[in-house]
Amino acid sequence: MPYPDKRDSKDRLQLVLEVGQAFNSVIDIDRLLGLIADRTSGLLNSERCSIYVVDSERKTLWTKVAMGESKIEIPIYSGIAGAVVKTGLIINTADAYSDPRFNQEVDKRTGYCTRNMLSGPIINTSGEIIGVIQVLNRCQEDFDSTDEEMLGALSGFAGNALENALLYDELRRTFYSVVEVLAATIDAKHHYTAGHTARVAEYSCGIAIEVGLNSDEIEVIRIAAYLHDYGKIAIRDQVLTKPGRLTEEEFEEMKSHAAKTTAILSKMHFSKQYRDVPSIAGAHHEKYNGSGYPLRLDDGAIPLGARIMAVADVFDALTSDRDYRKASSYEDALALMRKENGSSFDPAVFKAFERYFEKKFGLGAS
Amino acid sequence: MPYPDKRDSKDRLQLVLEVGQAFNSVIDIDRLLGLIADRTSGLLNSERCSIYVVDSERKTLWTKVAMGESKIEIPIYSGIAGAVVKTGLIINTADAYSDPRFNQEVDKRTGYCTRNMLSGPIINTSGEIIGVIQVLNRCQEDFDSTDEEMLGALSGFAGNALENALLYDELRRTFYSVVEVLAATIDAKHHYTAGHTARVAEYSCGIAIEVGLNSDEIEVIRIAAYLHDYGKIAIRDQVLTKPGRLTEEEFEEMKSHAAKTTAILSKMHFSKQYRDVPSIAGAHHEKYNGSGYPLRLDDGAIPLGARIMAVADVFDALTSDRDYRKASSYEDALALMRKENGSSFDPAVFKAFERYFEKKFGLGAS
């Protein structure tokens, strides 16, 4: 929503400060990019705003804003955004299509028609250009020197906020990646087909979306899924990789991996958001009717994340080769699992799994 | 350094904005607390400023600022800071010692003499009180309503910045903790005494400090040290835990753990800061004279972090029990290692190790 077109410099300063300060209240990169774009285009009475982020290693600019969900990546010095990265100056383009630097490609891909455009650098506290902010199609008039001034002030605030968000995002990606790779080494020790944990994580998140969980809740399930079998590190190789049937004693040792997952993960410091990871991860063999292990929890006593993971884990086990049997087809696995709906599996979760299954594999769930 | 005592409201506003905006340029929690304290006491012409951070789970307030390095923790509702947490209001105390809420304990412990004090809440974007900012001993006069107004504005900026820094700090602690615990499971698989990786990390960081590395460089070495033996996950139990001497073939398998460490870690996404973790971690068996493994690197070709870790790793191995021998004393280990100074070990690193050794164990390095 556009702001009143304030030309009074005092009001304008106050608005810029208010909007700029709001940028620093968001650390999530996607939300921040959305917020900067939304508030800047509003303040400058324009239709759209795109934020390009510099990836100095890949020598590209990427953006998500104003283009929907998918990330667009362009060479770092291409188009008018690229000219801003090169010069560090604000560029005021009255008629985009008559400027030879203008990259018509993006309009072609998005169906948008750019008329005028104001572009400026986003600079971090070390003076490096970390992004470009581009405001498109000012209502009625072209962008003037007042707009340039406002964009200059706003991008100062954006620089701070974006740098923090990028750092946070990098750390989060590093964290996930460490969890993923270390967890995947468990797959390597076991005779499961490679990629078991990654697939259980993928299926669990897919089901969680169908259950209607929000993105923070799904993140917790993703981490828990990657770590659900970590207790297997404490199971002897001769049991873990035994080709034939396990003896009763060996099977008890094997089953102990679930409790060991919880025990190992409980030694970690998880921040508030991830607090429940150990109990969710260790409960993936609990059953809805209370006949699972290690704690024989039932129904509501089993964390929702674990009820979701239980379905994902069994589905991947059935659809992967084992030493003693071939993988089932997706449909056969689904049919087999239906028999345990309400006993092993939570019916509400199972319903969500069927919806996910249909979307994912494009097969009728009947 | 105090600012000129500006009473003109326009100048004041500008200074507050300038200082407040600077808060958002720092995401490291310790540096941020220092910056807020420094700039706020300067702007309010006072001697000191302490920032208390609310730990809502432990029901405490903690602070590092104005008390040197060590963290001070007090019950959440104690003292005048506690009264601010309870009421959410700014408290202007003209004479601390005549206010019964004032906690004289902190002055006693620090030898400081508080005269007057201005305390206000730090509030995050959800409206929660996440900290208290306390300015001590205004020069010449008591704090007045102008100071209260400035503190109110500044703590708004501080709230945003502090919330981001706390989130970042939590994520970083979670990341470390995951790395530590997963890495420690390797110790559990091996017949090393428990805690090998943690000790190698501790010794490596201690040596790195003596070498003169900065805190960012030391963080990299800490992570690499925790992960240095991770490649052992790919070594068979029967080799890893064999009680007697290894055959030549088994020894070759054992030695492969170093290259496997690099291979596994190379699959991870590390942010710029941690980019060298895989190559440092996997080079802890390289020797200064080029006779180590897996790459037979020598001298400067071995990353500095790995040269440090090599010393720490051998020192911990010698001073831990093995199946086939008892642990050496610290002095004996040092004497043994001296013989390899310049062949296995980098002399400059070894000198730093000797300084660390003397400080850590209080033993003469001669």
Side-chain angles (χ1 to χ4, degrees):
Chain A
M1 211 188 51
Y3 290 76
D5 196 359
K6 299 268 185 192
R7 292 283 127 182
D8 173 82
S9 76
K10 211 180 114 206
D11 288 346
R12 220 166 55 221
L13 179 69
Q14 207 184 316
L15 276 174
V16 167
L17 287 174
E18 195 186 294
V19 168
Q21 185 57 11
F23 294 169
N24 283 305
S25 69
V26 176
I27 198 160
D28 178 85
I29 185 91
D30 287 345
R31 264 179 271 183
L32 177 65
L33 294 177
L35 179 76
I36 296 175
D38 189 53
R39 304 297 290 271
T40 304
S41 66
L43 201 52
L44 268 62
N45 285 301
S46 57
E47 284 179 10
R48 273 200 184 184
C49 176
S50 304
I51 319 292
Y52 290 89
V53 179
V54 171
D55 186 330
S56 54
E57 285 173 45
R58 296 165 56 86
K59 301 271 174 236
T60 57
L61 297 173
W62 62 264
T63 183
K64 281 188 181 174
V65 173
M67 322 279 182
E69 277 302 293
S70 67
K71 194 164 147 178
I72 291 194
E73 204 163 15
I74 57 172
I76 192 164
Y77 296 128
S78 75
I80 291 177
V84 170
V85 176
K86 219 181 292 177
T87 63
L89 300 172
I90 289 182
I91 297 179
N92 187 344
T93 316
D95 177 13
Y97 279 82
S98 70
D99 187 322
R101 294 170 300 184
F102 178 65
N103 179 358
Q104 305 182 14
E105 203 47 48
V106 178
D107 270 10
K108 272 187 200 143
R109 277 155 76 181
T110 59
Y112 188 73
C113 178
T114 305
R115 289 182 285 111
N116 53 38
M117 179 193 260
L118 187 62
S119 314
I122 301 177
I123 295 171
N124 72 7
T125 45
S126 320
E128 295 157 349
I129 297 175
I130 57 171
V132 173
I133 184 165
Q134 207 159 57
V135 203
L136 307 180
N137 290 6
R138 195 186 196 294
C139 304
Q140 292 153 343
E141 307 155 52
D142 288 339
F143 293 103
D144 61 16
S145 63
T146 303
D147 295 312
E148 291 175 22
E149 204 181 283
M150 286 166 83
L151 188 73
L154 282 177
S155 50
F157 288 93
N160 266 346
L162 187 58
E163 188 174 24
N164 288 348
L166 287 169
L167 269 171
Y168 190 72
D169 192 56
E170 270 286 283
L171 183 57
R172 186 157 61 185
R173 283 166 60 200
T174 304
F175 167 63
Y176 273 120
S177 152
V178 168
V179 168
E180 283 173 22
V181 175
L182 297 194
T185 55
I186 298 301
D187 290 5
K189 289 294 268 185
H190 200 194
H191 60 163
Y192 271 7
T193 50
H196 171 70
T197 52
R199 284 193 304 271
V200 171
E202 186 197 340
Y203 299 156
S204 298
C205 294
I207 301 168
I209 291 169
E210 291 298 328
V211 168
L213 300 187
N214 68 36
S215 63
D216 283 351
E217 294 163 327
I218 293 170
E219 295 297 79
V220 173
I221 292 175
R222 191 196 310 276
I223 293 287
Y226 270 108
L227 295 172
H228 78 282
D229 269 345
Y230 202 77
K232 284 186 177 163
I233 190 114
I235 310 298
R236 287 173 299 154
D237 276 0
Q238 63 200 88
V239 174
L240 205 57
T241 62
K242 186 174 175 182
R245 273 212 167 275
L246 298 179
T247 65
E248 201 170 319
E249 197 191 339
E250 288 168 341
F251 190 54
E252 284 306 312
E253 177 171 344
M254 187 64 131
K255 279 165 68 179
S256 73
H257 83 274
K260 281 172 172 155
T261 290
T262 308
I264 293 172
L265 301 188
S266 295
K267 288 187 202 151
M268 297 180 186
H269 167 87
F270 283 110
S271 60
K272 224 191 241 175
Q273 192 194 338
Y274 299 111
R275 172 104 7 112
D276 295 330
V277 164
S279 55
I280 295 173
H284 66 280
H285 283 295
E286 300 291 354
K287 294 187 172 182
Y288 190 67
N289 65 7
S291 68
Y293 63 87
L295 298 175
R296 300 185 70 86
L297 300 175
D298 61 10
D299 194 0
I302 310 171
L304 176 57
R307 277 177 274 155
I308 289 172
M309 221 181 296
V311 175
D313 191 35
V314 170
F315 181 67
D316 186 62
L318 289 173
T319 54
S320 301
D321 284 333
R322 288 289 179 276
D323 290 324
Y324 47 93
R325 61 154 176 74
K326 278 295 209 191
S328 299
S329 71
Y330 293 140
E331 295 89 334
D332 289 350
L334 183 62
L336 270 169
M337 289 173 70
R338 278 222 179 92
K339 294 178 189 160
E340 293 187 59
N341 184 7
S343 55
S344 292
F345 307 126
D346 176 344
V349 169
F350 201 81
K351 200 165 273 173
F353 168 63
E354 290 185 309
R355 285 198 300 275
Y356 168 69
F357 182 90
E358 198 166 343
K359 287 179 190 167
K360 169 88 182 169
F361 301 108
L363 301 164
S366 62
Chain B
M1 210 188 50
Y3 289 78
D5 196 358
K6 298 268 184 192
R7 293 282 126 182
D8 174 80
S9 75
K10 211 179 116 209
D11 289 346
R12 221 165 54 221
L13 178 70
Q14 206 186 315
L15 275 175
V16 166
L17 287 174
E18 193 186 296
V19 169
Q21 185 58 12
F23 295 168
N24 284 305
S25 69
V26 176
I27 198 160
D28 177 83
I29 185 91
D30 288 346
R31 264 179 270 183
L32 176 66
L33 294 177
L35 179 75
I36 296 176
D38 190 53
R39 305 297 291 269
T40 304
S41 66
L43 201 51
L44 268 63
N45 285 300
S46 57
E47 286 180 5
R48 275 200 183 184
C49 176
S50 305
I51 318 292
Y52 290 89
V53 179
V54 172
D55 185 330
S56 54
E57 285 173 46
R58 297 165 55 89
K59 302 273 175 234
T60 56
L61 297 174
W62 62 264
T63 183
K64 280 190 181 171
V65 173
M67 321 279 182
E69 277 302 294
S70 66
K71 192 163 148 177
I72 290 193
E73 202 162 16
I74 57 172
I76 191 166
Y77 295 129
S78 76
I80 290 176
V84 170
V85 176
K86 219 181 290 177
T87 63
L89 300 172
I90 287 182
I91 297 179
N92 187 343
T93 315
D95 176 13
Y97 279 84
S98 70
D99 187 322
R101 295 170 299 185
F102 178 66
N103 180 358
Q104 305 182 15
E105 203 47 47
V106 178
D107 269 12
K108 273 187 200 146
R109 277 155 74 181
T110 59
Y112 189 70
C113 179
T114 305
R115 289 181 286 110
N116 53 39
M117 178 192 261
L118 187 63
S119 314
I122 301 176
I123 296 172
N124 72 6
T125 44
S126 320
E128 295 157 349
I129 297 174
I130 57 170
V132 174
I133 184 165
Q134 206 159 58
V135 202
L136 307 179
N137 291 6
R138 193 186 198 292
C139 303
Q140 292 153 343
E141 305 154 52
D142 288 339
F143 292 105
D144 61 16
S145 62
T146 303
D147 297 311
E148 292 176 22
E149 207 181 279
M150 286 166 82
L151 188 74
L154 283 177
S155 49
F157 287 93
N160 267 347
L162 187 58
E163 189 174 24
N164 289 349
L166 286 169
L167 269 171
Y168 190 72
D169 191 56
E170 270 286 283
L171 184 57
R172 186 156 60 182
R173 283 165 60 198
T174 303
F175 167 62
Y176 273 119
S177 152
V178 168
V179 168
E180 285 173 21
V181 175
L182 297 195
T185 55
I186 298 302
D187 290 4
K189 289 294 267 186
H190 200 193
H191 61 163
Y192 270 9
T193 51
H196 171 71
T197 51
R199 283 192 305 271
V200 171
E202 186 197 338
Y203 300 156
S204 298
C205 293
I207 300 167
I209 290 170
E210 292 298 329
V211 168
L213 300 187
N214 69 35
S215 63
D216 283 352
E217 293 163 328
I218 293 171
E219 296 296 79
V220 173
I221 292 176
R222 192 196 308 277
I223 293 287
Y226 269 108
L227 296 172
H228 78 281
D229 270 345
Y230 202 79
K232 284 187 177 161
I233 191 116
I235 309 299
R236 288 173 299 153
D237 276 0
Q238 64 202 84
V239 174
L240 204 57
T241 62
K242 185 175 176 181
R245 274 212 167 276
L246 298 178
T247 65
E248 200 170 320
E249 196 191 340
E250 288 167 340
F251 190 54
E252 284 306 311
E253 176 171 345
M254 187 63 131
K255 279 166 67 180
S256 73
H257 82 273
K260 281 173 173 156
T261 289
T262 308
I264 293 173
L265 300 188
S266 296
K267 289 187 201 152
M268 298 179 186
H269 167 87
F270 283 109
S271 59
K272 222 190 242 175
Q273 192 194 338
Y274 298 111
R275 170 107 7 111
D276 296 330
V277 164
S279 56
I280 295 173
H284 65 281
H285 284 294
E286 299 291 354
K287 294 187 175 183
Y288 190 66
N289 65 6
S291 68
Y293 62 86
L295 299 175
R296 300 185 69 88
L297 301 176
D298 61 10
D299 194 358
I302 310 172
L304 176 57
R307 278 177 273 153
I308 290 172
M309 221 181 297
V311 176
D313 191 34
V314 170
F315 181 67
D316 187 61
L318 289 174
T319 54
S320 302
D321 285 333
R322 287 289 181 277
D323 290 325
Y324 47 93
R325 61 155 174 75
K326 279 296 209 189
S328 299
S329 71
Y330 292 140
E331 293 91 334
D332 288 351
L334 182 62
L336 270 169
M337 290 172 69
R338 277 222 181 94
K339 295 179 189 158
E340 294 186 58
N341 185 8
S343 55
S344 293
F345 308 126
D346 176 345
V349 169
F350 201 82
K351 201 165 273 175
F353 168 64
E354 290 185 310
R355 284 198 301 275
Y356 169 69
F357 183 90
E358 196 166 344
K359 288 180 190 165
K360 168 90 180 167
F361 301 108
L363 300 164
S366 62

